[in-house]
Amino acid sequence: ELKVEQNPLFLSMQEGKNYTIYCNYSTTSDRLYWYRQDPGKSLESLFVLLSNGAVKQEGRLMASLDTKARLSTLHITAAVHDLSATYFCAVDSNYGGSQGNLIFGKGTKLSVKP
Amino acid sequence: NAGVTQTPKFQVLKTGQSMTLQCAQDMNHNSMYWYRQDPGMGLRLIYYSASEGTTDKGEVPNGYNVSRLNKREFSLRLESAAPSQTSVYFCASNRIHTGANQPQHFGDGTRLSIL
């Protein structure tokens, strides 16, 4: 059974600082997704990571995937208040096949303070 | 662009009542999903429909039924609501085919309270 763990679950940062959110998963997978959710809102897709060593960047966020370690990271550079949200990683449960169902982590609630 | 539309946005039910949550997408996606989101639990898959005419159970299907009415619409029914089903329900869709790895697109959610 695929399990996905994120840490930390809560993160309070100061503006301008760097930090990393970790996403570990328990069984082999080759597709990982990062989503952002603002309070009371829907989920917005941030990154799709499809292969070992994949790295994607958008603004102050950079995501990477290490399939051998079963680990993805979401790195935040020089945080700003607008990045305050809950970030979810989600792992595809159907390794080697067509897209399967996603198993979500519990989310990391990020608060960026001035 | 509407994307994924869920109705209603809010609902309060009494224990034992039934209701249907509606979801429609206009992106010509073949796959659709229903999740529930509870505090501290992330999202958990209730049911999904890989293509029109098929439905399958997800992680937490008990107490729910679904209907894939056509390619656009996927509804979730609570036959006899229980307080444990108080949650935020999200519908999502994406296009699945060989080699495609599209993320799922989510609706705005339905906030359901059962008293």
Side-chain angles (χ1 to χ4, degrees), chain A residues 31 33 35 37 40-43 45 48 50 88 99 101-102 104-106, chain B residues 37 40 42-43 45 48 90 94-96 100-104 106-107 111:
Chain A
R31 285 177 286 249
Y33 304 81
Y35 288 88
Q37 185 180 37
K41 303 293 186 182
S42 183
L43 280 79
S45 175
V48 179
L50 302 175
F88 291 95
Q99 267 185 310
N101 297 323
L102 297 184
F104 280 78
K106 293 183 177 182
Chain B
Q37 183 177 30
L43 277 79
L45 183 66
Y48 66 99
F90 286 98
N94 67 348
R95 182 172 172 79
I96 291 182
N101 297 285
Q102 286 188 2
Q104 294 177 16
F106 285 79
R111 284 146 185 82

Side-chain angles (χ1 to χ4, degrees), chain A residues 43-111:
Chain A
L43 280 79
E44 172 192 358
S45 175
L46 293 175
F47 300 109
V48 179
L49 301 170
L50 302 175
S51 60
N52 188 42
V55 177
K56 293 205 173 170
Q57 183 161 6
E58 180 74 31
R60 301 174 187 274
L61 300 178
M62 183 172 71
S64 66
L65 178 62
D66 182 342
T67 58
K68 294 178 181 177
R70 300 176 186 168
L71 171 68
S72 179
T73 61
L74 181 65
H75 187 73
I76 303 155
T77 302
V80 293
H81 180 71
D82 285 352
L83 290 179
S84 297
T86 299
Y87 294 86
F88 291 95
C89 66
V91 180
D92 194 309
S93 60
N94 190 22
Y95 174 66
S98 60
Q99 267 185 310
N101 297 323
L102 297 184
I103 306 298
F104 280 78
K106 293 183 177 182
T108 297
K109 186 173 182 179
L110 172 65
S111 176

Side-chain angles (χ1 to χ4, degrees), chain B residues 52-63:
Chain B
E52 187 178 354
T54 68
T55 61
D56 284 288
K57 296 178 181 179
E59 182 183 357
V60 288
N62 290 346

Side-chain angles (χ1 to χ4, degrees), chain B residues 13-79:
Chain B
L13 291 178
K14 294 181 179 178
T15 298
Q17 288 185 316
S18 62
M19 82 160 295
T20 300
L21 280 61
Q22 306 286 354
C23 175
Q25 52 90 11
D26 63 1
M27 295 174 283
N28 199 33
H29 288 166
N30 52 347
S31 297
M32 298 185 74
Y33 312 82
W34 276 106
Y35 294 90
R36 60 178 288 172
Q37 183 177 30
D38 301 295
M41 296 292 291
L43 277 79
R44 293 181 292 169
L45 183 66
I46 305 171
Y47 271 92
Y48 66 99
S49 172
S51 61
E52 187 178 354
T54 68
T55 61
D56 284 288
K57 296 178 181 179
E59 182 183 357
V60 288
N62 290 346
Y64 305 95
N65 286 300
V66 290
S67 295
R68 183 73 182 267
L69 303 171
N70 47 55
K71 190 172 186 179
R72 291 186 64 247
E73 298 172 289
F74 188 38
S75 62
L76 178 72
R77 183 162 177 84
L78 287 71
E79 291 290 352

